[in-house]
Amino acid sequence: MSWIEKSKTFISETISETKKANFPTRDELVSLTAVVLVTSVIFAAFLWIADQGITWFMLEVLGR
């Protein structure tokens, strides 16, 4: 099988699988994006607080 035949097969299979895909609606996309953004902000805040605590511990308790 030549690379041209393999390419044609790949493209036709890709198109076939794309037609089977279930894409989200606009409302689902907006709500899921909001969930990702809120989760990211919460996680960033947690990491910032943890970093501040570790910094305080290193400076105050260990005297560095």
Side-chain angles (χ1 to χ4, degrees):
M1 187 182 267
S2 72
W3 69 272
I4 294 175
E5 292 172 355
K6 288 181 182 179
S7 297
K8 287 180 183 179
T9 302
F10 174 76
I11 291 171
S12 68
E13 289 177 359
T14 302
I15 291 170
S16 173
E17 289 297 322
T18 303
K19 289 179 181 178
K20 295 178 190 176
N22 184 15
F23 295 100
T25 64
R26 180 173 174 82
D27 290 339
E28 290 173 331
L29 188 62
V30 169
S31 68
L32 292 174
T33 301
V35 168
V36 169
L37 291 175
V38 168
T39 303
S40 296
V41 168
I42 290 170
F43 192 64
F46 170 76
L47 289 176
W48 181 77
I49 291 168
D51 182 53
Q52 294 300 312
I54 292 169
T55 301
W56 174 84
F57 180 79
M58 294 293 289
L59 292 174
E60 297 297 324
V61 176
L62 298 179
R64 293 185 187 224

